[in-house]
Amino acid sequence: MKKNGKKAVSILVVIICFLTIPELVIRALTPEQFARLSDFTSLGGLFSNILSVLIFLGLTSVLLGVLTIFLTTKIYRRFSRSRS
């Protein structure tokens, strides 16, 4: 695969993680759990509670997307070497 194709796939994976993971987490949390999470991520009232949760979930999902790409490429390289 060419470099442009790899970059496009990487960007798509990060965007998909960025769009789906926060939505799933917010839908799965009860209001009490959401309040605890917002208190934990607001840095002592420095940010708005909802804004801090969204920033935290956004950064976490982007990091998870990058980690997914890294692990997938490692696994693919290992399997492609063993078949050769």
Side-chain angles (χ1 to χ4, degrees), residues 53-76:
V53 169
L54 292 178
I55 291 171
F56 175 74
L57 289 175
L59 291 175
T60 304
S61 62
V62 167
L63 290 175
L64 188 62
V66 171
L67 182 67
T68 302
I69 293 168
F70 177 74
L71 290 175
T72 305
T73 55
K74 290 287 185 183
I75 292 169
Y76 176 74

Side-chain angles (χ1 to χ4, degrees), residues 33-64:
Q33 292 171 335
F34 186 77
R36 275 191 260 142
L37 181 63
S38 65
D39 288 340
F40 176 72
T41 58
S42 68
L43 299 174
L46 187 63
F47 295 117
S48 167
N49 289 343
I50 295 175
L51 177 66
S52 64
V53 169
L54 292 178
I55 291 171
F56 175 74
L57 289 175
L59 291 175
T60 304
S61 62
V62 167
L63 290 175
L64 188 62

Side-chain angles (χ1 to χ4, degrees), residues 2-37:
K2 296 180 183 178
K3 281 190 175 184
N4 289 337
K6 289 181 183 179
K7 286 181 184 178
V9 169
S10 300
I11 290 171
L12 286 174
V13 168
V14 170
I15 289 173
I16 289 170
C17 286
F18 183 74
L19 293 175
T20 57
I21 292 173
E23 180 182 353
L24 293 175
V25 170
I26 289 175
R27 286 180 187 251
L29 291 177
T30 64
E32 292 82 20
Q33 292 171 335
F34 186 77
R36 275 191 260 142
L37 181 63

